[in-house]
Amino acid sequence: MEQLKTIGRELAMGSQGGFGQSKEFLDLVKSIGESRSKAEEDRIVLSEIDILKRKLLEPDVPKRKMKEYMIRLVYIEMLGHDASFGYIHAVKMTHDDNLLLKRTGYLAVTLFLDEDHDLIILIVNTIQKDLRSDNYLVVCAALNAVCRLINEETIPAVLPQVVDLLNHGKEAVRKKAIMALHRFHRKSPSSVSHLVSNFRRKLCDSDPGVMGATLCPLFDLISEDVASYKDLVSSFVGILKQVTERKLPKSYDYHQMPAPFIQIKLLKIMALLSSGDKSASEMMYMVLGDLFRKCDSSTNIGNAILYECIRCISCIIPSPKLLEDAAEAISKFLKSDSHNLKYMGIDGLGRLIKISSDIAEQHQLAVIDCLEDPDDTLKRKTFELLYKMTKSSNVEVIVDRMIDYMISINDNHYKTEIASRCVELAEQFAPSNQWFIQIMNKVFEHAGDLVNIKVAHNLMRLIAEGFGEDDDDADNKLRLSAVESYLQIISEPKLPSLFLQVISWVLGEYGTADGKYSASYISGKLCDVADAYSSDETVKGYAVSALMKIYAFEIASGRKVDVLPECQSLIEELLASHSTDLQQRAYELQALLALDARAVESILPLDASCEDIEVDKDLSFLNGYIQQAIESGAQPYVSERERSGGMFETTDYHSQDHHEVTSHALRFEAYELPKPSVPSQPSAALVPVPEPSYYSEPHQPISTSSSVSERESSEIKLRLDGVKQKWGRPSYQSSTSASSSTPPQAANGTSTHSDGGGVASSSSSKPRSSYESKKPEIDPEKQRLAASLFGGSSSSSRSDRKSSSGGHKPAKGTANKPLATVPKESPIPVPDLLDFDEPTGTSDVAATDPFKELEGLMESSRQDGGGSTDVMGLYSTDASAPVKTTTSVDSLLSELSDSSRGTYHQSQTTKGPNSKEALEKDALVRQMGVNPTSQNPTLFKDLLG
């Protein structure tokens, strides 16, 4: 009674608009179906899109209306228009508790979205919840979405629930769970590699639908690894036997065939498992024979099973009875009026011909009839079969048919394939030389440049080598036949470029070999080719090379060569050609004509195109010439390995001065550490020098000024030795410049030593204290800039500048020389007594105390004056005492000079000012009670500096 009520409600809805659909939706479908043009259809759909956009934005849309709107959106999307504005509403509908709306939402989502869409993340949680639902219809809807929308990244989120559903009570859920796992395997095999055993178990499921769904993932797994599933052959044979015996429910029948799609899948799996396996093949003989007997060939599904049986037999090791059954089925296919069945028969015959060639001979006439069929697809399939059926007895008929078909079609791709097959068959089964040359001429003439260039090279090699036998007469006949045919064809217009290359090569090699044709005749034909195809440089190059061979053979044989006027004009034209290749060929031809017979025979021997060329990679024939050149003073050859790196030993640069190899290759090995020696003009190159760790001597105090200078010079030094000068006399620098920390020399040019004699003047041997390494590094860019501006190391330049500020003035011509070379007569400058800054450099004058000098002056004056000293008289401007003032100035300069020379080492070994001496000097000045600068400041400044 309830079913009758349901049918009544459905009929009532159908009378109103069709199972709950509104009249607007039916009018939309009707108007689109009646539209007469694409433009009218687009206008209707765009209008419907505007309506749906407005209605979907309305608040509180009824669920029944929303379901209809989703169906309209699906219809719009199916027509090729954009309905993305409604995707989010479809996603929301999947969250609804109503089963009908949820299934509609899942249907719309699977049609709207793909696995990489941004909205997929919004339905993953909904799918997880629905997979745990108690309603199997909801679970099935969620599994449908899983099979379409879950990508590799979201597989772990739903995989546990899908695995649990393999044991669900409903067979529809188990089937869809198998399908979901199959999709996971295709998307990410590693994610389900541990679940492969579930497919084996579900093969024995009680429901045929679950078993049939399991065959699909098993087919993929067996295709990847056949050996792991060999034990399932008996299981598959048993299942197929049960299916053929109609032990499955009637609901699985299709056109009275029991579960035909399960049978086809089983046959494909069995073909994989039994390939090359005798024992597995024997297990299948009985069930395959039953299929041939029971299949109904009057229906398409029956013919499909027969065709799959033929494919299976072609893969296994069949019995003679199965081959007869397969041949009989193929005969029925070929005799049918249906093109589809003929195509299946041709394809099946091509598979069985690998096992038994006798089967093809029985149907040769039927195959030839298929060549005349207007169906182009059937023709191409037939030509594939003919290619496999070709023998020496039928090669002429088959190749002629293939060439005729090649001429008639316009498909360049397939024409190229047919041409290559014709060439291959002609090379294998040619009945005579003349027939072979004729076929090659037809192929090149009609296929043109579509023929693969390898085919042309193979043809030239075949003509040169012959048929591989010791019969020279046959080979000569083949070459003569080729020359005769090409001389006939060469006059035809518009020959393909590749064909002309073959013709030119053959005429050049064998045109005059038998003496039938003169050199003038062949050379005239070649000149005509070069003139007719003047725009094709390749053809002209082949023609010039052929002329060179003909003239070379004539000169080598001792005959007089008469160059035709057209050939001479061709050579002159090519000598001025823009193509360097043609120019070279023309010059070579011109040079060859002037050689004698012996030289020409050595250059171009007769019929030597197939001779092996021995390549002397070491060029040993040049050894005598090289030895003679070296004895005459030439430089020896430097190998590529030596040029790329490791040419010289970096520790011996003096030997390079005597034996230097000229090379412009870059060197990437590191520079060696600098060595102190006399430098020439340096080429500035800054390299970091690691600071050596020395222990400082406790009995040798280190001055602050020298330590600072040493730290500055130890950071980055100039790498000067081994650097080749780019200007002036070519030489290598053998050492670096003198260190900037070298102490100044005395006036006699000898270095000053400490009292202990343990401190050397070189900075490399100077002991360093532990706190020196804490000094921050100087920017290398600044160092390079300093070296560029001042032509030396930055530390030495800094020291020179500080010395200059202290009153030193370097002698002329000593800017780039070490301090040890300063002349003896170089004057020691007067120190600046007004500079009271703390000394920071290596200058000796910076450590001199002006009050100490005044004290010495007072003592000397006291000795001259007899006990009383008139300090004011020293600075008096009275003219009555000019001599005394002058004497005082000279005495002051002498005292300053002696003090600077005598206290130099003291300044080096004394750290900071002496406080005791400073106090004594201050007290002495206060006792004097005068300010020396207040009397005459101008004279004081002039006196002191």
Side-chain angles (χ1 to χ4, degrees), residues 802-809 827-837 839 843-854 889-903 907 939-945:
K802 291 182 179 179
S803 300
S804 300
S805 64
H808 284 287
K809 180 180 273 187
I828 302 297
V830 179
D832 188 359
L833 299 180
L834 296 180
D835 187 4
F836 296 99
D837 293 337
S843 174
D844 58 330
V845 184
T848 305
D849 193 346
F851 293 101
K852 187 70 176 177
E853 299 300 328
L854 288 175
V889 171
D890 294 338
S891 176
L892 177 61
L893 292 177
S894 176
E895 289 289 334
L896 288 176
S897 177
D898 296 338
S899 176
S900 63
R901 287 195 298 270
T903 61
S907 67
L939 178 61
F940 185 81
K941 291 182 181 181
D942 294 338
L943 174 67
L944 300 181

Side-chain angles (χ1 to χ4, degrees), residues 872 874-878 885 931-944:
M872 298 301 298
L874 295 173
Y875 305 99
S876 175
T877 56
D878 189 1
T885 302
N931 186 356
T933 59
S934 62
Q935 302 297 325
N936 197 341
T938 304
L939 178 61
F940 185 81
K941 291 182 181 181
D942 294 338
L943 174 67
L944 300 181

Side-chain angles (χ1 to χ4, degrees), residues 246-400:
R246 296 181 181 274
K247 293 185 178 180
L248 269 64
K250 287 286 186 181
S251 58
Y252 290 93
D253 289 358
Y254 179 77
H255 287 275
Q256 300 180 357
M257 289 297 298
F261 302 105
I262 292 180
Q263 292 187 48
I264 292 174
K265 184 63 70 174
L266 284 170
L267 288 170
K268 290 182 177 180
I269 293 175
M270 292 162 62
L272 291 175
L273 292 174
S274 303
S275 178
D277 192 340
K278 180 66 175 178
S279 59
S281 301
E282 291 175 351
M283 298 172 63
M284 302 170 56
Y285 288 166
M286 184 178 295
V287 67
L288 288 175
D290 294 340
L291 284 175
F292 277 114
R293 289 191 301 270
K294 295 179 180 179
C295 283
D296 184 10
S297 59
S298 61
T299 59
N300 288 332
I301 194 64
N303 291 324
I305 295 176
L306 287 175
Y307 172 71
E308 200 61 45
C309 289
I310 295 172
R311 292 187 60 184
C312 183
I313 290 174
S314 65
C315 295
I316 67 174
I317 302 176
S319 64
K321 182 63 170 63
L322 287 178
L323 286 176
E324 293 178 2
D325 295 340
E328 184 179 355
I330 288 174
S331 178
K332 293 179 181 179
F333 290 158
L334 293 175
K335 294 178 181 178
S336 175
D337 295 334
S338 173
H339 288 167
N340 293 333
L341 294 181
K342 287 183 178 181
Y343 187 93
M344 292 168 56
I346 293 294
D347 184 78
L349 191 60
R351 295 176 182 275
L352 292 182
I353 200 175
K354 301 176 182 178
I355 302 174
S356 177
S357 59
D358 298 336
I359 299 177
E361 294 179 358
Q362 299 173 8
H363 306 286
Q364 189 169 356
L365 295 178
V367 171
I368 296 299
D369 292 339
C370 292
L371 292 176
E372 301 176 355
D373 197 281
D375 190 346
D376 193 64
T377 305
L378 182 59
K379 278 185 177 181
R380 296 188 179 186
K381 196 67 179 179
T382 306
F383 278 117
E384 293 180 9
L385 175 62
L386 291 178
Y387 176 72
K388 300 175 183 178
M389 293 172 55
T390 304
K391 296 181 179 180
S392 301
S393 58
N394 58 9
V395 63
E396 298 183 32
V397 177
I398 292 177
V399 171
D400 288 340

